Amino acid sequence: MTPDPTVLDRLLEISELFQRDLAREFSGTSLTTARTRVLWDLVHAGPSTQQALATRLEVSARNITGLVDALEQAGYVERSPHPTDRRATLVTLTPPAEELMREMQRDHQELSATLLHAVPAADRDAFLRGIDAVAERLRGLVAASGAGRTAAPSIEPVP
């Protein structure tokens, strides 16, 4: 007898489905999940140094250089001198990339609405609170793990 799927099983399935959808969406382009993360970061943070990008995305300087090189070669970003630090270079979205990101934001809003409509209207507020609570708990677990703590926080059993 196969056990019923756990909450984690369902969340992992959802994560996998999002990864498949992203791969399908960018099939035939030079975009990867990692490159797309750089573009999203630039949308939200604005022009940034590679060091700032690497820090925010939690990747090495070598890794961010490769990502920015590939994005620049594909025409998604451009490098320019930093206005106040002659040693630094700013990475900025190109106009076509800005348009692509606006389209992606619209697509995300549409998909969010489509997915939320799968939940009965009376349950949506509770569903959203639940998602926020799970995300917050996972952030805490990841942060605790990254800080070298191995003890798990007390967890109440789910009825």
Side-chain angles (χ1 to χ4, degrees), residues 10 14 36 39 50 53 61 93 98 108 116 122 126 140 155:
R10 290 181 177 119
I14 289 168
T36 304
L39 297 177
Q50 288 186 185
L53 280 168
L93 292 173
E98 288 174 348
H108 280 201
L116 193 56
I155 299 174

Side-chain angles (χ1 to χ4, degrees), residues 48-56 59 61 64 89:
S48 300
T49 64
Q50 288 186 185
Q51 180 180 0
L53 280 168
T55 299
R56 287 193 304 267
V59 299
I64 203 68
T89 301

